[in-house]
Amino acid sequence: MTGRLNDLLGVTFAERHGEGPVRYVLFHPGTTATSFAGEFDAPTAAFIAQQKLTAKPATEVAPPILRLLDDPPGAPLSAFNLSNELPPGEALFPSGPAARLADVTTDLLKVLHPDR
């Protein structure tokens, strides 16, 4: 869920700051094999075992990230599922909920850090 929320914050960032030099690139590598370390209850352990069967090694995920770092997209907002570019339109990245999340986040940060 946090990945989806980050996507929506990227939408609002691009809308508010798209004329600036910063580009917001959303990147989803899919399930990536990392340590999967820890102790888990039975349902979580079963889920992790299933994920391990389809997880890509980091060596497969790193090249698309490096390509984007070496040659960033020019658009204020772009989205990728590994090497496949996704259309950053309303269907996947709706601006209404994105703006609402950005406003709620800003309000929450003001409460948590009133001196900033």
Side-chain angles (χ1 to χ4, degrees):
M1 188 65 184
T2 57
R4 183 67 182 137
L5 297 174
N6 187 57
D7 291 352
L8 292 174
L9 291 174
V11 169
T12 304
F13 179 91
E15 288 175 351
R16 293 179 182 176
H17 307 287
E19 299 300 318
V22 176
R23 298 294 170 243
Y24 208 106
V25 179
L26 306 172
F27 181 82
H28 188 308
T31 304
T32 305
T34 57
S35 68
F36 290 110
E39 294 182 25
F40 307 101
D41 60 29
T44 303
F47 177 76
I48 289 173
Q50 185 272 331
Q51 292 296 301
K52 286 181 178 181
L53 297 174
T54 60
K56 291 178 279 314
T59 55
E60 190 177 315
V61 173
I65 294 171
L66 294 174
R67 278 193 294 277
L68 290 169
L69 290 172
D70 290 341
D71 187 22
L77 177 69
S78 56
F80 294 84
N81 186 359
L82 263 184
S83 295
N84 300 320
E85 188 165 8
L86 304 172
E90 284 290 315
L92 290 176
F93 308 104
S95 59
R100 181 171 176 260
L101 176 62
D103 291 343
V104 168
T105 302
T106 299
D107 292 346
L108 177 61
L109 290 172
K110 286 178 185 174
V111 170
L112 294 174
H113 301 285
D115 54 330
R116 293 184 191 178

